[in-house]
Amino acid sequence: MTERFIEVSLVSRGVAARARLLDDRAPVTCAAVWAALPLTGDVYHAKYARNEIYALFPPFTPTEPPLENPTVTPIPGDLCYFSFAGSELATKAYGYDREPPPGTTVVDLALFYERNNLLLNGDVGWVPGTVWAEVVEGLPALAEACNDLWRNGAAGEQLAFRAL
């Protein structure tokens, strides 16, 4: 299979990076995300995982992909896929401005931009994710924008994914 690439961007900050899909390691997840592109959503900065930004989406495939190429210690440039029951995110402690309706599923597409990440949530324990892509160009500028997002806030910013 030919390598596939996407652009990951923070829209308002005008910064983007290029990522390579890991079709050989997470084929089902890559196919699901690729078919759903483009995707854009409000960005959040993680509270417990450390150096992570992410956006939440409704499910975009009839069946959730299995856990592929799993990690609980993502490295800089990893793009991870998570799926949560809406009830797992329904507490105000997560800082969302809306609650997912009971019985729904929420897809979390995340970018890890710096070292020393650990996917351990105090409420539920380990939260393994599927590493489905890796940033191959532009990570330093995107990481700088992610740090700005952490320090100055995420309100009004969007995280976008599109095919290249």
Side-chain angles (χ1 to χ4, degrees):
M1 176 179 262
T2 304
E3 289 187 329
R4 297 188 289 180
F5 295 89
I6 62 168
E7 179 184 82
V8 182
S9 63
L10 287 170
V11 177
S12 295
R13 284 170 171 80
V15 64
R18 184 173 183 238
R20 181 177 64 85
L21 270 64
L22 301 176
D23 285 298
D24 57 330
R25 297 180 188 166
V28 177
T29 305
C30 288
V33 174
W34 186 262
L37 295 176
L39 293 165
T40 302
D42 292 340
V43 69
Y44 297 93
H45 197 288
K47 290 175 93 173
Y48 72 87
R50 194 151 181 195
N51 301 299
E52 172 194 1
I53 63 167
Y54 62 97
L56 301 174
F57 301 97
F60 41 76
T61 183
T63 305
E64 281 302 307
L67 185 61
E68 302 177 290
N69 196 27
T71 190
V72 292
T73 56
I75 62 173
D78 278 352
L79 290 169
C80 289
Y81 179 105
F82 303 92
S83 178
F84 298 104
S87 59
E88 291 178 273
L89 304 177
T91 173
K92 296 287 185 195
Y94 290 106
Y96 303 122
D97 57 358
R98 61 191 180 281
E99 285 190 20
T104 62
T105 299
V106 177
V107 172
D108 171 334
L109 295 182
L111 164 72
F112 292 84
Y113 64 89
E114 187 50 77
R115 298 170 49 136
N116 301 320
N117 302 295
L118 185 63
L119 301 179
L120 180 60
N121 180 314
D123 294 337
V124 297
W126 295 105
V127 183
T130 293
V131 181
W132 60 277
E134 63 184 357
V135 173
V136 294
E137 263 178 48
L139 185 58
L142 189 54
E144 187 175 322
C146 292
N147 274 315
D148 180 66
L149 188 125
W150 172 248
R151 300 280 298 163
N152 294 305
E157 183 61 88
Q158 292 194 310
L159 181 60
F161 304 86
R162 72 175 182 91
L164 292 177

